[in-house]
Every structure is written in structure tokens, then in C-alpha cells.
Amino acid sequence: MAGPTHTLSLSQHLHLHLHLHLFSCAALALQQMRPYDRGGILVQNLPAVCFNGYSTLLAPANEVLIPQELLSSKTVWTPDRELGQYEDLVSRVTNFHNEDKGFMVLDGDVFDVPIRKDIVHRVVRWQLAKRQQGTHSTKTISEVSGTGRKPYNQKGTGRARHGTLRGPQFRGGATMHGPKPRSHAIKLQKKVRRLGLKIALSARTAEGKLLVFEDLEVPSHKTKNIVQYIRQMEDTKKVLLVDGGDIDTKLKLATQNLHYVNVLPSIGLNVYSILQHDTLVMTRDAINRIVERMHTPISR
């Protein structure tokens, strides 16, 4: 037997719609008070909790801001904030086991700078040019092994005149205008190199691909442990692990057989390595050392 049905009068319908409108306005106002992005949250004097890089306003105990039955699971409006405002961010600190280890403030002048592709291009070009060995070499006519005797008489043979068989037109002869050992390095100002690293860190932070770990300790040198940890990360194809000091021996042995996991100390962190990996994992110590390095005055 069907249950009783209830109908609402016109005034009750209007009253209910008015309440829904007020609750939706209150929800929007609360969200506008707390803009956030995927990589971190703004530091303001508002009570908040951070989970997986997202911020949520906290309601006082035993008090509900909006009745649960009036809330919808459908996303109506997604708040966002403008990037590159040099604002300090708060990030969640975890470890390989995804345990909560507190929070950490990321300096805005390092992790929230405007994205400039031209600066990143200049820094990457400088890196790739500087790492070229430049050991290529060819032999000139004076360095080629062979006799210096004139091959045949100047006249009377009907052939073209030649004075040596070591010329570039002969097989086994010299190479003209060939490469010689040299440095391919180009000059780039220190402030531009430093800005390129800040931009790369800010880009990963804005994408939500910067993870802050308490440490990089692993129980053993087994590769299967690292494989299991990486599988737990969402949308991760290639990971760069950055520690503050020297890399732990167990971590180095556990990752050396994985082509999609690389480990670097903080002193070796560079723009090209960050761009080659879609996920950047840094420890507290590594972030503190990077920030200290970015704040150190440039020696001229």
C-alpha cells in the first residue's frame, strides 16, 4: 500500500525556495572567504584544515553551518585564485605511508612566482649546452698520417695537378673546417638561473604535483617497496625524490633499477630534472635548504 503523499501550498513553496537561496548564498560567501588552489592554500587568519592540498573551513563544535539535507553533491561553483601572487602557501606533510605529519609553510617568493616560459626555455638551453662534453675532433691536413711527397709530376700526365695525397678530396685525407674540442657553454645571469628554478617549483605547486614528505626513509633496499609506494600516488608516471643532504643508501639501491624514479640531493635540484618528472617529492629539509639558497644574496 502506498504511503501518504504531502503537497505544499504556494506560500510554502516560496518559503522553501527562499531558504535554499539564502543557504546557497551563505555557502558561496564562505568559499569566497577561503580561495585555494591545488598545490596549497592561502595563509589567512581563518580556521581551516588541509587535506591532500585542499582547504576546508571548520565549523564550531556542535554547530552546523548548512543543513546536510539541503546540500547537493553536484559542483556548482569551483573557487580559484590567481597564480603568481608571491603569497605563502600551506602544504600537508606526509610520508611514503601517507601518514599525516603536520603542515609546512611554503615561501611565496619561491613557490608562488609568475610562470614565464621564456625564462624556463633560457635556463634549459643553458643547462643542455653546458653539459655537452665537446670532445669532438677531426684532423687537419697537417695532422693526417701520410707522405708529404708530390704524387706525380705537375705536367704531362693529363691528370689534375696535386701536391699531396693528404688533401680533403682524397680518401683518408684531412677534414676541412671540422669540429675541434671546445666548450659549448653559454653565459646566463645567476638571477635568471635562480628565477628559472623558482618558476619550475611554482609550476609543480600550482599543478598540485609538489608533495612534501617528512623524510624519505624506507624499511629496506628492496625495489618492490618503492614500486608499491609510487602506485599509491595518483596520476604519477615519473617521480623525482629530493632529499636535503646525502641520499640514503637503502633508498639509492631501491630506486636505481626503476627508470621512472630518480633521486637527487637538494644541491643538485635543477630546472631540467623538474620538467622531466611529472611529480616532485621533497622533504622538509630539502625545502628549507632550497629556500635558504634562494634567499642568499648573489655574489658578483
Side-chain angles (χ1 to χ4, degrees), residues 86-115:
Y86 301 96
E87 294 173 329
D88 292 345
L89 308 173
V90 176
S91 178
R92 175 173 174 255
V93 181
T94 61
N95 56 12
F96 280 123
H97 303 284
N98 200 26
E99 300 173 348
D100 287 328
K101 296 294 182 179
F103 301 95
M104 184 174 187
V105 178
L106 306 178
D107 287 43
D109 57 349
V110 177
F111 294 92
D112 189 30
V113 302
I115 306 300

Side-chain angles (χ1 to χ4, degrees), residues 20-164:
L20 289 175
H21 177 70
L22 292 176
F23 282 129
S24 62
C25 292
L28 291 176
L30 287 173
Q31 290 178 344
Q32 289 176 349
M33 289 172 60
R34 191 69 176 184
Y36 68 95
D37 66 336
R38 293 189 60 190
I41 58 176
L42 291 176
V43 179
Q44 298 178 357
N45 295 325
L46 294 175
V49 63
C50 183
F51 180 75
N52 285 336
Y54 293 90
S55 62
T56 306
L57 288 175
L58 290 179
N62 300 326
E63 181 178 351
V64 180
L65 296 178
I66 301 175
Q68 188 66 29
E69 60 271 14
L70 297 180
L71 295 179
S72 173
S73 59
K74 181 179 178 181
T75 302
V76 180
W77 180 71
T78 303
D80 198 2
R81 73 177 187 88
E82 187 177 355
L83 303 178
Q85 298 300 310
Y86 301 96
E87 294 173 329
D88 292 345
L89 308 173
V90 176
S91 178
R92 175 173 174 255
V93 181
T94 61
N95 56 12
F96 280 123
H97 303 284
N98 200 26
E99 300 173 348
D100 287 328
K101 296 294 182 179
F103 301 95
M104 184 174 187
V105 178
L106 306 178
D107 287 43
D109 57 349
V110 177
F111 294 92
D112 189 30
V113 302
I115 306 300
R116 290 187 55 183
K117 295 182 180 180
D118 59 320
I119 297 295
V120 175
H121 174 266
R122 291 177 63 185
V123 175
V124 170
R125 183 170 171 266
W126 168 77
Q127 277 190 242
L128 297 182
K130 189 177 178 61
R131 77 177 189 178
Q132 283 188 252
Q133 292 183 350
T135 55
H136 39 45
S137 181
T138 56
K139 291 185 178 181
T140 62
I141 195 170
S142 63
E143 298 169 336
V144 173
S145 176
T147 179
R149 173 180 177 272
K150 186 175 177 65
Y152 44 81
N153 293 335
Q154 179 80 357
K155 303 174 72 66
T157 62
R159 301 177 64 184
R161 51 197 175 189
H162 292 291
T164 178

